[in-house]
PDB file of all heavy atoms in Angstrom:
ATOM      1  N   TYR Z  29      77.882  46.836 -70.490  1.00  0.00           N
ATOM      2  CA  TYR Z  29      78.011  48.265 -70.770  1.00  0.00           C
ATOM      3  C   TYR Z  29      78.607  49.002 -69.566  1.00  0.00           C
ATOM      4  O   TYR Z  29      78.484  48.548 -68.422  1.00  0.00           O
ATOM      5  CB  TYR Z  29      76.653  48.877 -71.087  1.00  0.00           C
ATOM      6  CG  TYR Z  29      75.918  48.208 -72.214  1.00  0.00           C
ATOM      7  CD1 TYR Z  29      74.940  47.246 -71.957  1.00  0.00           C
ATOM      8  CD2 TYR Z  29      76.191  48.526 -73.537  1.00  0.00           C
ATOM      9  CE1 TYR Z  29      74.258  46.628 -72.989  1.00  0.00           C
ATOM     10  CE2 TYR Z  29      75.507  47.919 -74.577  1.00  0.00           C
ATOM     11  CZ  TYR Z  29      74.545  46.960 -74.292  1.00  0.00           C
ATOM     12  OH  TYR Z  29      73.875  46.350 -75.326  1.00  0.00           O
ATOM     13  N   LEU Z  30      79.184  50.153 -69.858  1.00  0.00           N
ATOM     14  CA  LEU Z  30      79.602  51.066 -68.800  1.00  0.00           C
ATOM     15  C   LEU Z  30      79.181  52.464 -69.224  1.00  0.00           C
ATOM     16  O   LEU Z  30      79.765  53.040 -70.135  1.00  0.00           O
ATOM     17  CB  LEU Z  30      81.112  51.019 -68.561  1.00  0.00           C
ATOM     18  CG  LEU Z  30      81.606  51.853 -67.376  1.00  0.00           C
ATOM     19  CD1 LEU Z  30      81.092  51.259 -66.057  1.00  0.00           C
ATOM     20  CD2 LEU Z  30      83.130  51.948 -67.357  1.00  0.00           C
ATOM     21  N   GLN Z  31      78.137  52.977 -68.581  1.00  0.00           N
ATOM     22  CA  GLN Z  31      77.685  54.335 -68.820  1.00  0.00           C
ATOM     23  C   GLN Z  31      78.477  55.263 -67.917  1.00  0.00           C
ATOM     24  O   GLN Z  31      78.456  55.096 -66.689  1.00  0.00           O
ATOM     25  CB  GLN Z  31      76.194  54.470 -68.535  1.00  0.00           C
ATOM     26  CG  GLN Z  31      75.644  55.879 -68.694  1.00  0.00           C
ATOM     27  CD  GLN Z  31      75.675  56.355 -70.136  1.00  0.00           C
ATOM     28  OE1 GLN Z  31      75.301  55.632 -71.043  1.00  0.00           O
ATOM     29  NE2 GLN Z  31      76.118  57.596 -70.350  1.00  0.00           N
ATOM     30  N   MET Z  32      79.157  56.220 -68.523  1.00  0.00           N
ATOM     31  CA  MET Z  32      80.021  57.117 -67.767  1.00  0.00           C
ATOM     32  C   MET Z  32      79.511  58.550 -67.910  1.00  0.00           C
ATOM     33  O   MET Z  32      79.497  59.088 -69.028  1.00  0.00           O
ATOM     34  CB  MET Z  32      81.463  57.017 -68.273  1.00  0.00           C
ATOM     35  CG  MET Z  32      82.015  55.599 -68.263  1.00  0.00           C
ATOM     36  SD  MET Z  32      83.754  55.511 -68.725  1.00  0.00           S
ATOM     37  CE  MET Z  32      83.676  56.064 -70.422  1.00  0.00           C
ATOM     38  N   ASN Z  33      79.087  59.128 -66.812  1.00  0.00           N
ATOM     39  CA  ASN Z  33      78.578  60.499 -66.793  1.00  0.00           C
ATOM     40  C   ASN Z  33      79.499  61.389 -65.960  1.00  0.00           C
ATOM     41  O   ASN Z  33      80.317  60.895 -65.181  1.00  0.00           O
ATOM     42  CB  ASN Z  33      77.170  60.527 -66.227  1.00  0.00           C
ATOM     43  CG  ASN Z  33      76.178  59.734 -67.045  1.00  0.00           C
ATOM     44  OD1 ASN Z  33      76.299  59.610 -68.265  1.00  0.00           O
ATOM     45  ND2 ASN Z  33      75.181  59.172 -66.381  1.00  0.00           N
ATOM     46  N   SER Z  34      79.338  62.685 -66.120  1.00  0.00           N
ATOM     47  CA  SER Z  34      80.128  63.658 -65.351  1.00  0.00           C
ATOM     48  C   SER Z  34      81.610  63.314 -65.381  1.00  0.00           C
ATOM     49  O   SER Z  34      82.293  63.289 -64.351  1.00  0.00           O
ATOM     50  CB  SER Z  34      79.629  63.700 -63.902  1.00  0.00           C
ATOM     51  OG  SER Z  34      78.269  64.042 -63.836  1.00  0.00           O
ATOM     52  N   LEU Z  35      82.101  63.063 -66.565  1.00  0.00           N
ATOM     53  CA  LEU Z  35      83.493  62.628 -66.712  1.00  0.00           C
ATOM     54  C   LEU Z  35      84.466  63.713 -66.297  1.00  0.00           C
ATOM     55  O   LEU Z  35      84.217  64.913 -66.486  1.00  0.00           O
ATOM     56  CB  LEU Z  35      83.753  62.202 -68.154  1.00  0.00           C
ATOM     57  CG  LEU Z  35      83.208  60.803 -68.495  1.00  0.00           C
ATOM     58  CD1 LEU Z  35      83.064  60.621 -69.995  1.00  0.00           C
ATOM     59  CD2 LEU Z  35      84.100  59.735 -67.903  1.00  0.00           C
ATOM     60  N   LYS Z  36      85.590  63.258 -65.725  1.00  0.00           N
ATOM     61  CA  LYS Z  36      86.637  64.138 -65.248  1.00  0.00           C
ATOM     62  C   LYS Z  36      87.934  63.811 -65.979  1.00  0.00           C
ATOM     63  O   LYS Z  36      88.119  62.673 -66.450  1.00  0.00           O
ATOM     64  CB  LYS Z  36      86.849  63.930 -63.747  1.00  0.00           C
ATOM     65  CG  LYS Z  36      85.601  64.090 -62.907  1.00  0.00           C
ATOM     66  CD  LYS Z  36      85.887  63.731 -61.454  1.00  0.00           C
ATOM     67  CE  LYS Z  36      84.639  63.861 -60.595  1.00  0.00           C
ATOM     68  NZ  LYS Z  36      84.921  63.509 -59.173  1.00  0.00           N
ATOM     69  N   PRO Z  37      88.859  64.756 -66.058  1.00  0.00           N
ATOM     70  CA  PRO Z  37      90.149  64.452 -66.706  1.00  0.00           C
ATOM     71  C   PRO Z  37      90.842  63.238 -66.093  1.00  0.00           C
ATOM     72  O   PRO Z  37      91.508  62.480 -66.813  1.00  0.00           O
ATOM     73  CB  PRO Z  37      90.946  65.733 -66.481  1.00  0.00           C
ATOM     74  CG  PRO Z  37      89.913  66.813 -66.439  1.00  0.00           C
ATOM     75  CD  PRO Z  37      88.748  66.182 -65.731  1.00  0.00           C
ATOM     76  N   GLU Z  38      90.663  63.031 -64.811  1.00  0.00           N
ATOM     77  CA  GLU Z  38      91.299  61.880 -64.156  1.00  0.00           C
ATOM     78  C   GLU Z  38      90.671  60.543 -64.531  1.00  0.00           C
ATOM     79  O   GLU Z  38      91.179  59.493 -64.143  1.00  0.00           O
ATOM     80  CB  GLU Z  38      91.308  62.037 -62.629  1.00  0.00           C
ATOM     81  CG  GLU Z  38      89.963  62.376 -62.025  1.00  0.00           C
ATOM     82  CD  GLU Z  38      89.792  63.868 -61.789  1.00  0.00           C
ATOM     83  OE1 GLU Z  38      90.158  64.665 -62.691  1.00  0.00           O
ATOM     84  OE2 GLU Z  38      89.267  64.234 -60.715  1.00  0.00           O
ATOM     85  N   ASP Z  39      89.577  60.574 -65.296  1.00  0.00           N
ATOM     86  CA  ASP Z  39      88.999  59.333 -65.820  1.00  0.00           C
ATOM     87  C   ASP Z  39      89.697  58.887 -67.103  1.00  0.00           C
ATOM     88  O   ASP Z  39      89.404  57.803 -67.618  1.00  0.00           O
ATOM     89  CB  ASP Z  39      87.510  59.515 -66.105  1.00  0.00           C
ATOM     90  CG  ASP Z  39      86.689  59.748 -64.853  1.00  0.00           C
ATOM     91  OD1 ASP Z  39      86.935  59.064 -63.845  1.00  0.00           O
ATOM     92  OD2 ASP Z  39      85.783  60.610 -64.890  1.00  0.00           O
ATOM     93  N   THR Z  40      90.604  59.696 -67.612  1.00  0.00           N
ATOM     94  CA  THR Z  40      91.337  59.350 -68.823  1.00  0.00           C
ATOM     95  C   THR Z  40      92.146  58.076 -68.597  1.00  0.00           C
ATOM     96  O   THR Z  40      92.933  57.978 -67.665  1.00  0.00           O
ATOM     97  CB  THR Z  40      92.280  60.498 -69.230  1.00  0.00           C
ATOM     98  OG1 THR Z  40      91.489  61.627 -69.606  1.00  0.00           O
ATOM     99  CG2 THR Z  40      93.167  60.084 -70.396  1.00  0.00           C
ATOM    100  N   ALA Z  41      91.910  57.090 -69.458  1.00  0.00           N
ATOM    101  CA  ALA Z  41      92.557  55.784 -69.304  1.00  0.00           C
ATOM    102  C   ALA Z  41      92.144  54.883 -70.465  1.00  0.00           C
ATOM    103  O   ALA Z  41      91.229  55.211 -71.225  1.00  0.00           O
ATOM    104  CB  ALA Z  41      92.145  55.133 -67.984  1.00  0.00           C
ATOM    105  N   VAL Z  42      92.811  53.754 -70.549  1.00  0.00           N
ATOM    106  CA  VAL Z  42      92.330  52.660 -71.402  1.00  0.00           C
ATOM    107  C   VAL Z  42      91.415  51.804 -70.534  1.00  0.00           C
ATOM    108  O   VAL Z  42      91.801  51.395 -69.431  1.00  0.00           O
ATOM    109  CB  VAL Z  42      93.485  51.813 -71.955  1.00  0.00           C
ATOM    110  CG1 VAL Z  42      92.937  50.654 -72.785  1.00  0.00           C
ATOM    111  CG2 VAL Z  42      94.418  52.677 -72.807  1.00  0.00           C
ATOM    112  N   TYR Z  43      90.222  51.573 -71.022  1.00  0.00           N
ATOM    113  CA  TYR Z  43      89.223  50.802 -70.274  1.00  0.00           C
ATOM    114  C   TYR Z  43      89.130  49.393 -70.840  1.00  0.00           C
ATOM    115  O   TYR Z  43      89.011  49.204 -72.057  1.00  0.00           O
ATOM    116  CB  TYR Z  43      87.864  51.504 -70.356  1.00  0.00           C
ATOM    117  CG  TYR Z  43      87.779  52.712 -69.448  1.00  0.00           C
ATOM    118  CD1 TYR Z  43      88.478  53.875 -69.746  1.00  0.00           C
ATOM    119  CD2 TYR Z  43      87.023  52.682 -68.283  1.00  0.00           C
ATOM    120  CE1 TYR Z  43      88.432  54.980 -68.911  1.00  0.00           C
ATOM    121  CE2 TYR Z  43      86.953  53.783 -67.432  1.00  0.00           C
ATOM    122  CZ  TYR Z  43      87.670  54.920 -67.755  1.00  0.00           C
ATOM    123  OH  TYR Z  43      87.620  56.009 -66.905  1.00  0.00           O
ATOM    124  N   TYR Z  44      89.173  48.430 -69.923  1.00  0.00           N
ATOM    125  CA  TYR Z  44      89.138  47.023 -70.284  1.00  0.00           C
ATOM    126  C   TYR Z  44      87.920  46.343 -69.654  1.00  0.00           C
ATOM    127  O   TYR Z  44      87.618  46.585 -68.479  1.00  0.00           O
ATOM    128  CB  TYR Z  44      90.371  46.294 -69.763  1.00  0.00           C
ATOM    129  CG  TYR Z  44      91.687  46.808 -70.297  1.00  0.00           C
ATOM    130  CD1 TYR Z  44      92.359  47.831 -69.641  1.00  0.00           C
ATOM    131  CD2 TYR Z  44      92.255  46.262 -71.437  1.00  0.00           C
ATOM    132  CE1 TYR Z  44      93.573  48.311 -70.121  1.00  0.00           C
ATOM    133  CE2 TYR Z  44      93.472  46.724 -71.921  1.00  0.00           C
ATOM    134  CZ  TYR Z  44      94.121  47.746 -71.250  1.00  0.00           C
ATOM    135  OH  TYR Z  44      95.321  48.203 -71.722  1.00  0.00           O
ATOM    136  N   CYS Z  45      87.258  45.485 -70.409  1.00  0.00           N
ATOM    137  CA  CYS Z  45      86.268  44.629 -69.783  1.00  0.00           C
ATOM    138  C   CYS Z  45      86.899  43.258 -69.555  1.00  0.00           C
ATOM    139  O   CYS Z  45      87.863  42.879 -70.225  1.00  0.00           O
ATOM    140  CB  CYS Z  45      84.988  44.526 -70.612  1.00  0.00           C
ATOM    141  SG  CYS Z  45      85.130  43.591 -72.125  1.00  0.00           S
ATOM    142  N   ALA Z  46      86.354  42.546 -68.586  1.00  0.00           N
ATOM    143  CA  ALA Z  46      86.911  41.265 -68.194  1.00  0.00           C
ATOM    144  C   ALA Z  46      85.803  40.344 -67.714  1.00  0.00           C
ATOM    145  O   ALA Z  46      84.814  40.799 -67.134  1.00  0.00           O
ATOM    146  CB  ALA Z  46      87.961  41.451 -67.103  1.00  0.00           C
ATOM    147  N   SER Z  47      86.017  39.059 -67.939  1.00  0.00           N
ATOM    148  CA  SER Z  47      85.061  38.036 -67.529  1.00  0.00           C
ATOM    149  C   SER Z  47      85.646  37.231 -66.369  1.00  0.00           C
ATOM    150  O   SER Z  47      86.829  36.865 -66.395  1.00  0.00           O
ATOM    151  CB  SER Z  47      84.785  37.118 -68.717  1.00  0.00           C
ATOM    152  OG  SER Z  47      83.930  36.068 -68.347  1.00  0.00           O
ATOM    153  N   HIS Z  48      84.805  36.979 -65.373  1.00  0.00           N
ATOM    154  CA  HIS Z  48      85.295  36.231 -64.212  1.00  0.00           C
ATOM    155  C   HIS Z  48      85.720  34.817 -64.613  1.00  0.00           C
ATOM    156  O   HIS Z  48      85.185  34.244 -65.555  1.00  0.00           O
ATOM    157  CB  HIS Z  48      84.196  36.175 -63.148  1.00  0.00           C
ATOM    158  CG  HIS Z  48      84.712  35.915 -61.774  1.00  0.00           C
ATOM    159  ND1 HIS Z  48      84.998  34.653 -61.323  1.00  0.00           N
ATOM    160  CD2 HIS Z  48      85.008  36.766 -60.766  1.00  0.00           C
ATOM    161  CE1 HIS Z  48      85.454  34.738 -60.076  1.00  0.00           C
ATOM    162  NE2 HIS Z  48      85.463  36.015 -59.722  1.00  0.00           N
ATOM    163  N   LYS Z  49      86.654  34.270 -63.867  1.00  0.00           N
ATOM    164  CA  LYS Z  49      87.175  32.930 -64.169  1.00  0.00           C
ATOM    165  C   LYS Z  49      86.151  31.843 -63.890  1.00  0.00           C
ATOM    166  O   LYS Z  49      86.131  30.807 -64.550  1.00  0.00           O
ATOM    167  CB  LYS Z  49      88.415  32.656 -63.315  1.00  0.00           C
ATOM    168  CG  LYS Z  49      89.653  33.423 -63.722  1.00  0.00           C
ATOM    169  CD  LYS Z  49      90.818  33.063 -62.814  1.00  0.00           C
ATOM    170  CE  LYS Z  49      92.086  33.778 -63.229  1.00  0.00           C
ATOM    171  NZ  LYS Z  49      93.210  33.471 -62.317  1.00  0.00           N
ATOM    172  N   ASN Z  50      85.297  32.067 -62.888  1.00  0.00           N
ATOM    173  CA  ASN Z  50      84.391  31.016 -62.425  1.00  0.00           C
ATOM    174  C   ASN Z  50      82.947  31.319 -62.812  1.00  0.00           C
ATOM    175  O   ASN Z  50      82.443  32.425 -62.580  1.00  0.00           O
ATOM    176  CB  ASN Z  50      84.492  30.877 -60.916  1.00  0.00           C
ATOM    177  CG  ASN Z  50      85.902  30.528 -60.469  1.00  0.00           C
ATOM    178  OD1 ASN Z  50      86.559  29.688 -61.072  1.00  0.00           O
ATOM    179  ND2 ASN Z  50      86.370  31.183 -59.418  1.00  0.00           N
ATOM    180  N   SER Z  51      82.278  30.327 -63.347  1.00  0.00           N
ATOM    181  CA  SER Z  51      80.875  30.507 -63.698  1.00  0.00           C
ATOM    182  C   SER Z  51      80.005  30.459 -62.458  1.00  0.00           C
ATOM    183  O   SER Z  51      80.373  29.869 -61.430  1.00  0.00           O
ATOM    184  CB  SER Z  51      80.448  29.416 -64.689  1.00  0.00           C
ATOM    185  OG  SER Z  51      80.637  28.132 -64.130  1.00  0.00           O
ATOM    186  N   TRP Z  52      78.848  31.092 -62.546  1.00  0.00           N
ATOM    187  CA  TRP Z  52      77.852  31.102 -61.475  1.00  0.00           C
ATOM    188  C   TRP Z  52      78.453  31.573 -60.142  1.00  0.00           C
ATOM    189  O   TRP Z  52      78.032  31.114 -59.068  1.00  0.00           O
ATOM    190  CB  TRP Z  52      77.204  29.730 -61.304  1.00  0.00           C
ATOM    191  CG  TRP Z  52      76.701  29.148 -62.571  1.00  0.00           C
ATOM    192  CD1 TRP Z  52      77.147  28.023 -63.187  1.00  0.00           C
ATOM    193  CD2 TRP Z  52      75.666  29.675 -63.423  1.00  0.00           C
ATOM    194  NE1 TRP Z  52      76.454  27.813 -64.354  1.00  0.00           N
ATOM    195  CE2 TRP Z  52      75.539  28.798 -64.530  1.00  0.00           C
ATOM    196  CE3 TRP Z  52      74.818  30.790 -63.372  1.00  0.00           C
ATOM    197  CZ2 TRP Z  52      74.626  29.011 -65.553  1.00  0.00           C
ATOM    198  CZ3 TRP Z  52      73.904  30.990 -64.391  1.00  0.00           C
ATOM    199  CH2 TRP Z  52      73.808  30.124 -65.461  1.00  0.00           C
ATOM    200  N   PHE Z  53      79.409  32.473 -60.213  1.00  0.00           N
ATOM    201  CA  PHE Z  53      80.041  33.030 -59.022  1.00  0.00           C
ATOM    202  C   PHE Z  53      80.022  34.537 -59.113  1.00  0.00           C
ATOM    203  O   PHE Z  53      80.342  35.105 -60.158  1.00  0.00           O
ATOM    204  CB  PHE Z  53      81.492  32.543 -58.910  1.00  0.00           C
ATOM    205  CG  PHE Z  53      82.225  33.110 -57.720  1.00  0.00           C
ATOM    206  CD1 PHE Z  53      82.109  32.505 -56.470  1.00  0.00           C
ATOM    207  CD2 PHE Z  53      83.003  34.257 -57.828  1.00  0.00           C
ATOM    208  CE1 PHE Z  53      82.769  33.029 -55.372  1.00  0.00           C
ATOM    209  CE2 PHE Z  53      83.668  34.793 -56.736  1.00  0.00           C
ATOM    210  CZ  PHE Z  53      83.550  34.164 -55.506  1.00  0.00           C
ATOM    211  N   ASN Z  54      79.618  35.178 -58.017  1.00  0.00           N
ATOM    212  CA  ASN Z  54      79.575  36.638 -58.006  1.00  0.00           C
ATOM    213  C   ASN Z  54      80.616  37.198 -57.047  1.00  0.00           C
ATOM    214  O   ASN Z  54      80.619  36.866 -55.864  1.00  0.00           O
ATOM    215  CB  ASN Z  54      78.187  37.122 -57.589  1.00  0.00           C
ATOM    216  CG  ASN Z  54      77.144  36.838 -58.639  1.00  0.00           C
ATOM    217  OD1 ASN Z  54      77.401  36.967 -59.835  1.00  0.00           O
ATOM    218  ND2 ASN Z  54      75.955  36.469 -58.202  1.00  0.00           N
ATOM    219  N   PRO Z  55      81.522  38.032 -57.538  1.00  0.00           N
ATOM    220  CA  PRO Z  55      82.539  38.612 -56.660  1.00  0.00           C
ATOM    221  C   PRO Z  55      81.928  39.579 -55.652  1.00  0.00           C
ATOM    222  O   PRO Z  55      80.841  40.121 -55.865  1.00  0.00           O
ATOM    223  CB  PRO Z  55      83.464  39.339 -57.627  1.00  0.00           C
ATOM    224  CG  PRO Z  55      82.614  39.645 -58.808  1.00  0.00           C
ATOM    225  CD  PRO Z  55      81.623  38.526 -58.915  1.00  0.00           C
ATOM    226  N   MET Z  56      82.645  39.769 -54.562  1.00  0.00           N
ATOM    227  CA  MET Z  56      82.200  40.705 -53.533  1.00  0.00           C
ATOM    228  C   MET Z  56      83.263  41.786 -53.380  1.00  0.00           C
ATOM    229  O   MET Z  56      84.450  41.511 -53.477  1.00  0.00           O
ATOM    230  CB  MET Z  56      82.033  39.975 -52.196  1.00  0.00           C
ATOM    231  CG  MET Z  56      81.056  38.809 -52.234  1.00  0.00           C
ATOM    232  SD  MET Z  56      79.352  39.355 -52.308  1.00  0.00           S
ATOM    233  CE  MET Z  56      79.133  39.955 -50.637  1.00  0.00           C
ATOM    234  N   GLY Z  57      82.850  43.001 -53.144  1.00  0.00           N
ATOM    235  CA  GLY Z  57      83.799  44.069 -52.893  1.00  0.00           C
ATOM    236  C   GLY Z  57      84.602  44.440 -54.124  1.00  0.00           C
ATOM    237  O   GLY Z  57      84.205  44.168 -55.267  1.00  0.00           O
ATOM    238  N   VAL Z  58      85.743  45.050 -53.885  1.00  0.00           N
ATOM    239  CA  VAL Z  58      86.601  45.520 -54.971  1.00  0.00           C
ATOM    240  C   VAL Z  58      87.075  44.339 -55.821  1.00  0.00           C
ATOM    241  O   VAL Z  58      87.565  43.346 -55.287  1.00  0.00           O
ATOM    242  CB  VAL Z  58      87.812  46.281 -54.405  1.00  0.00           C
ATOM    243  CG1 VAL Z  58      88.780  46.670 -55.518  1.00  0.00           C
ATOM    244  CG2 VAL Z  58      87.345  47.522 -53.649  1.00  0.00           C
ATOM    245  N   GLY Z  59      86.906  44.459 -57.114  1.00  0.00           N
ATOM    246  CA  GLY Z  59      87.318  43.378 -58.000  1.00  0.00           C
ATOM    247  C   GLY Z  59      88.827  43.226 -58.068  1.00  0.00           C
ATOM    248  O   GLY Z  59      89.557  44.216 -58.065  1.00  0.00           O
ATOM    249  N   ARG Z  60      89.283  41.997 -58.127  1.00  0.00           N
ATOM    250  CA  ARG Z  60      90.711  41.699 -58.219  1.00  0.00           C
ATOM    251  C   ARG Z  60      91.033  41.182 -59.617  1.00  0.00           C
ATOM    252  O   ARG Z  60      90.350  40.295 -60.121  1.00  0.00           O
ATOM    253  CB  ARG Z  60      91.120  40.661 -57.184  1.00  0.00           C
ATOM    254  CG  ARG Z  60      90.819  41.039 -55.743  1.00  0.00           C
ATOM    255  CD  ARG Z  60      91.410  40.002 -54.794  1.00  0.00           C
ATOM    256  NE  ARG Z  60      91.007  38.651 -55.163  1.00  0.00           N
ATOM    257  CZ  ARG Z  60      91.644  37.550 -54.786  1.00  0.00           C
ATOM    258  NH1 ARG Z  60      92.743  37.655 -54.047  1.00  0.00           N
ATOM    259  NH2 ARG Z  60      91.209  36.361 -55.139  1.00  0.00           N
ATOM    260  N   GLU Z  61      92.075  41.714 -60.218  1.00  0.00           N
ATOM    261  CA  GLU Z  61      92.457  41.292 -61.564  1.00  0.00           C
ATOM    262  C   GLU Z  61      92.640  39.787 -61.651  1.00  0.00           C
ATOM    263  O   GLU Z  61      92.249  39.167 -62.645  1.00  0.00           O
ATOM    264  CB  GLU Z  61      93.763  41.980 -61.975  1.00  0.00           C
ATOM    265  CG  GLU Z  61      93.624  43.430 -62.377  1.00  0.00           C
ATOM    266  CD  GLU Z  61      94.878  43.939 -63.038  1.00  0.00           C
ATOM    267  OE1 GLU Z  61      95.327  43.314 -64.013  1.00  0.00           O
ATOM    268  OE2 GLU Z  61      95.410  44.954 -62.577  1.00  0.00           O
ATOM    269  N   ALA Z  62      93.207  39.205 -60.628  1.00  0.00           N
ATOM    270  CA  ALA Z  62      93.528  37.775 -60.665  1.00  0.00           C
ATOM    271  C   ALA Z  62      92.283  36.899 -60.760  1.00  0.00           C
ATOM    272  O   ALA Z  62      92.374  35.731 -61.142  1.00  0.00           O
ATOM    273  CB  ALA Z  62      94.323  37.394 -59.429  1.00  0.00           C
ATOM    274  N   ASP Z  63      91.108  37.442 -60.416  1.00  0.00           N
ATOM    275  CA  ASP Z  63      89.870  36.668 -60.471  1.00  0.00           C
ATOM    276  C   ASP Z  63      89.231  36.672 -61.855  1.00  0.00           C
ATOM    277  O   ASP Z  63      88.262  35.959 -62.095  1.00  0.00           O
ATOM    278  CB  ASP Z  63      88.863  37.230 -59.466  1.00  0.00           C
ATOM    279  CG  ASP Z  63      89.291  36.978 -58.026  1.00  0.00           C
ATOM    280  OD1 ASP Z  63      90.065  36.032 -57.795  1.00  0.00           O
ATOM    281  OD2 ASP Z  63      88.864  37.751 -57.142  1.00  0.00           O
ATOM    282  N   PHE Z  64      89.762  37.483 -62.747  1.00  0.00           N
ATOM    283  CA  PHE Z  64      89.163  37.626 -64.072  1.00  0.00           C
ATOM    284  C   PHE Z  64      90.127  37.053 -65.113  1.00  0.00           C
ATOM    285  O   PHE Z  64      91.272  37.478 -65.216  1.00  0.00           O
ATOM    286  CB  PHE Z  64      88.832  39.101 -64.342  1.00  0.00           C
ATOM    287  CG  PHE Z  64      87.729  39.602 -63.451  1.00  0.00           C
ATOM    288  CD1 PHE Z  64      88.014  40.058 -62.170  1.00  0.00           C
ATOM    289  CD2 PHE Z  64      86.413  39.573 -63.877  1.00  0.00           C
ATOM    290  CE1 PHE Z  64      86.995  40.484 -61.324  1.00  0.00           C
ATOM    291  CE2 PHE Z  64      85.386  40.004 -63.043  1.00  0.00           C
ATOM    292  CZ  PHE Z  64      85.672  40.456 -61.768  1.00  0.00           C
ATOM    293  N   GLY Z  65      89.634  36.082 -65.872  1.00  0.00           N
ATOM    294  CA  GLY Z  65      90.535  35.322 -66.723  1.00  0.00           C
ATOM    295  C   GLY Z  65      90.569  35.714 -68.183  1.00  0.00           C
ATOM    296  O   GLY Z  65      91.515  35.382 -68.892  1.00  0.00           O
ATOM    297  N   SER Z  66      89.545  36.423 -68.649  1.00  0.00           N
ATOM    298  CA  SER Z  66      89.494  36.823 -70.053  1.00  0.00           C
ATOM    299  C   SER Z  66      89.370  38.334 -70.121  1.00  0.00           C
ATOM    300  O   SER Z  66      88.561  38.933 -69.395  1.00  0.00           O
ATOM    301  CB  SER Z  66      88.302  36.179 -70.755  1.00  0.00           C
ATOM    302  OG  SER Z  66      88.436  34.770 -70.769  1.00  0.00           O
ATOM    303  N   TRP Z  67      90.153  38.936 -71.014  1.00  0.00           N
ATOM    304  CA  TRP Z  67      90.224  40.391 -71.109  1.00  0.00           C
ATOM    305  C   TRP Z  67      90.078  40.840 -72.560  1.00  0.00           C
ATOM    306  O   TRP Z  67      90.532  40.153 -73.481  1.00  0.00           O
ATOM    307  CB  TRP Z  67      91.565  40.887 -70.574  1.00  0.00           C
ATOM    308  CG  TRP Z  67      91.764  40.626 -69.122  1.00  0.00           C
ATOM    309  CD1 TRP Z  67      92.135  39.451 -68.538  1.00  0.00           C
ATOM    310  CD2 TRP Z  67      91.566  41.568 -68.060  1.00  0.00           C
ATOM    311  NE1 TRP Z  67      92.193  39.600 -67.164  1.00  0.00           N
ATOM    312  CE2 TRP Z  67      91.849  40.892 -66.845  1.00  0.00           C
ATOM    313  CE3 TRP Z  67      91.197  42.906 -68.004  1.00  0.00           C
ATOM    314  CZ2 TRP Z  67      91.757  41.516 -65.596  1.00  0.00           C
ATOM    315  CZ3 TRP Z  67      91.121  43.523 -66.763  1.00  0.00           C
ATOM    316  CH2 TRP Z  67      91.395  42.828 -65.577  1.00  0.00           C
ATOM    317  N   GLY Z  68      89.465  41.995 -72.726  1.00  0.00           N
ATOM    318  CA  GLY Z  68      89.432  42.603 -74.042  1.00  0.00           C
ATOM    319  C   GLY Z  68      90.724  43.348 -74.324  1.00  0.00           C
ATOM    320  O   GLY Z  68      91.631  43.403 -73.493  1.00  0.00           O
ATOM    321  N   GLN Z  69      90.780  43.961 -75.500  1.00  0.00           N
ATOM    322  CA  GLN Z  69      91.991  44.673 -75.911  1.00  0.00           C
ATOM    323  C   GLN Z  69      92.025  46.102 -75.386  1.00  0.00           C
ATOM    324  O   GLN Z  69      93.063  46.766 -75.436  1.00  0.00           O
ATOM    325  CB  GLN Z  69      92.091  44.694 -77.441  1.00  0.00           C
ATOM    326  CG  GLN Z  69      91.276  45.771 -78.143  1.00  0.00           C
ATOM    327  CD  GLN Z  69      89.775  45.555 -78.081  1.00  0.00           C
ATOM    328  OE1 GLN Z  69      89.297  44.472 -77.721  1.00  0.00           O
ATOM    329  NE2 GLN Z  69      89.009  46.579 -78.455  1.00  0.00           N
ATOM    330  N   GLY Z  70      90.893  46.578 -74.889  1.00  0.00           N
ATOM    331  CA  GLY Z  70      90.833  47.915 -74.312  1.00  0.00           C
ATOM    332  C   GLY Z  70      90.336  48.952 -75.288  1.00  0.00           C
ATOM    333  O   GLY Z  70      90.470  48.813 -76.509  1.00  0.00           O
ATOM    334  N   THR Z  71      89.746  50.017 -74.739  1.00  0.00           N
ATOM    335  CA  THR Z  71      89.297  51.142 -75.539  1.00  0.00           C
ATOM    336  C   THR Z  71      89.715  52.425 -74.825  1.00  0.00           C
ATOM    337  O   THR Z  71      89.570  52.543 -73.610  1.00  0.00           O
ATOM    338  CB  THR Z  71      87.780  51.100 -75.788  1.00  0.00           C
ATOM    339  OG1 THR Z  71      87.404  52.155 -76.673  1.00  0.00           O
ATOM    340  CG2 THR Z  71      86.977  51.224 -74.496  1.00  0.00           C
TER     341      THR Z  71
END
């Protein structure tokens, strides 16, 4: 889930969820697209 409060006009976008490529691995810091291998179609 992504709970979004106090929304601003600059939050306008297509939002995508993604699953990391590697199991049992937790990313650190800012997420990189290249580390996520499966993507939804967006909302």
